[in-house]
Structure formats: C-alpha cells, structure tokens
Amino acid sequence: MTVVQGTAVDIVTEDGTADAYFAHPGDGAPHPAVLLYMDAFGLRPRLRAMADRLAGAGYTVLVPNVLYRHGRAPVVELPEFIDPSARPEIFERLGPVMQALTPELAMRDAGAYLRRLAESPSAADGPVALTGYCMGARLALLTAGTYPERIAAAAGFHGARLATDTLDSPHLLAERITAELYFGHADQDPALPEEQQERLEHALSAAGVRHRCEVYPGAHHGFTQADTAAYSQEADERHWAALLDLLKRNLMGA
C-alpha cells in the first residue's frame, strides 16, 4: 500500500495567496501531477481524502481553494454532513463569492497553480491532468482551453454551466483543447440541463477533441461527495474507474 504525504501549502498568485492541499506518494520520487478543482463547498476533509486516494494511485495532487480572495478554507462554515436543509443557507452565502470568480480571474490563478506543480520536486516533468467537480468541472474545461500546452487530460463530474449561451462559456474554447476529456454528468441535473450537454458534445466533436461524455443514471448533482446527501457510492466508484483510466492512459503511457 502506497504511503501518502499530505500537507497544507500556500500558493502565491497575482492577486494574493491561495491556501491549498498538496498530496503525493511518500517515496521521494517525482510523480505525474494532477490539479484537482474543488466543488462549491470547497477545500475540506472530503476533498483531502479524494486527493489522498489519487496520491495513493501514484499521482502528485494539488487542491487549491479557488475562492481564496474571500478567505481561507472553509470560506463559509459547513456542517460535517451537508443535507438538503442546510444547502439554501450555505448557497445564500456562497453564491456571491462564486459569482465573483470570473473566468479571467480563475485562469490567472490557474497559471499560478500550474507553476506551483511545475516547480515542485514531487511532480514529474511534463503535462498535468485536471479533474473538477461541480464548479470545478467548469474550471477544468476552461483550464484545458486556456493552457493547452500544459494539459494532457481533463475530467469533470456533475459539472455546472459547461455550455451556456454566454460569451464566456468554457465550451467555446473547444478548438484550443488538445487534451483528452471525460465528463460524467449527473442525471437530470438542473446545473447542466440536456441542452447544455448536447451543446458541449457538439462543440467537442466539431473541434475534433478526444472525449467521452456519459450520463450516470439516477445520480444526483454532487454524486461524488460523500459528505452530502447527493452522494451515490455506485456513481462515485464509476467516477473513480473512469478518472483513473483517463489518468493512466495520458500520464502513465498505458
């Protein structure tokens, strides 16, 4: 069993300092790097556990608090278990914070996150992979299109607003993407309705992007997050299988 080392780190950006979690195998060797983009609830024990699982599979993982401009994680107080009754109050506070993270700011930050990985002796040389959840899936798609030379693969799960009708929608960067993509959509997800799923599929196909988009039947938005009522063990394990397959194929050469 791989011994994992996980630590809290700070990342200097153009706009301040982002707190983050950094996990890697404890063998002292460099390993392929993965940038993990948080869901709306942010950097917390669940995401650290997910990073540890990736590190245990042989990867060096960085999980930044992308909402750092509004404070260190947790940006808003969270219960240990997030049930439906808690969500309205949480999102009343989180909504304005999330909206303030424009694509321009997020991609400026992404450059800092990628530099941190490039400079780390724990991260192998070469392109990195991305995985993102909820709002993080949107950030992963934006990053793949903004830094194509740095990204070998990108995945997104129960993503939100991936293909809107706005001018800053991430699907509009499809022609710039060179990475292989995978998206696991929640079933009947109001954050990514069928029309957006179809728009994303069309954009990626038209641009010749290597990709696969799948709907997870019966899975709710947030299905990977075990500290929420949306969690589905079956869908979560399917997510891990798809993600690890994507990473192995693009980062391990297998």
Side-chain angles (χ1 to χ4, degrees):
M1 185 173 181
T2 301
V3 175
V4 171
Q5 292 183 351
T7 57
V9 298
D10 285 339
I11 303 168
V12 177
T13 75
E14 293 184 36
D15 299 322
T17 301
D19 50 311
Y21 181 69
F22 188 64
H24 57 89
D27 58 6
H31 293 268
V34 178
L35 175 58
L36 191 160
Y37 278 125
M38 56 182 249
D39 64 348
F41 298 128
L43 184 55
R44 61 195 193 283
R46 172 57 182 170
L47 290 193
R48 294 185 185 95
M50 293 173 73
D52 288 348
R53 180 165 175 173
L54 280 174
Y59 300 96
T60 290
V61 188
L62 181 65
V63 191
N65 168 24
V66 303
L67 303 178
Y68 70 89
R69 291 175 179 83
H70 300 269
R72 299 178 74 86
V75 175
V76 302
E77 186 177 350
L78 298 170
E80 288 188 14
F81 184 78
I82 304 167
D83 62 30
S85 66
R87 295 175 73 94
E89 181 180 351
I90 293 172
F91 278 105
E92 183 178 357
R93 290 177 287 161
L94 272 179
V97 174
M98 294 165 59
Q99 291 172 11
L101 185 65
T102 65
E104 179 183 5
L105 291 177
M107 291 305 97
R108 197 155 72 205
D109 293 341
Y113 306 149
L114 292 170
R115 282 193 298 273
R116 180 57 180 264
L117 285 170
E119 294 167 357
S120 172
S122 297
D125 293 337
V128 308
L130 314 168
T131 185
Y133 303 85
C134 183
M135 64 176 284
R138 177 180 170 88
L139 295 177
L141 185 54
L142 284 168
T143 304
T146 304
Y147 298 94
E149 72 286 352
R150 293 285 291 118
I151 309 304
F157 299 90
H158 45 85
R161 302 178 60 242
L162 299 180
T164 68
D165 55 7
T166 61
L167 295 177
D168 61 1
S169 179
H171 81 285
L172 298 176
L173 297 177
E175 291 187 354
R176 299 193 56 194
I177 294 172
T178 57
E180 180 181 354
L181 306 185
Y182 177 89
F183 290 98
H185 304 318
D187 194 6
Q188 300 184 37
D189 187 353
L192 193 74
E194 189 174 348
E195 64 186 40
Q196 285 196 43
Q197 294 179 25
E198 293 175 353
R199 190 179 292 146
L200 175 64
E201 176 67 39
H202 176 76
L204 296 178
S205 295
V209 177
R210 294 170 297 144
H211 72 282
R212 188 160 87 252
C213 299
E214 298 180 323
V215 176
Y216 288 23
H220 299 293
H221 183 82
F223 59 76
T224 62
Q225 301 304 306
D227 58 354
T228 77
Y231 180 68
S232 164
Q233 183 175 359
E234 180 181 357
D236 185 31
E237 288 306 317
R238 179 177 174 182
H239 133 261
W240 280 112
L243 176 59
L244 291 173
D245 180 63
L246 179 75
L247 298 182
K248 184 177 181 180
R249 188 164 58 250
N250 288 278
L251 294 184
M252 300 289 198

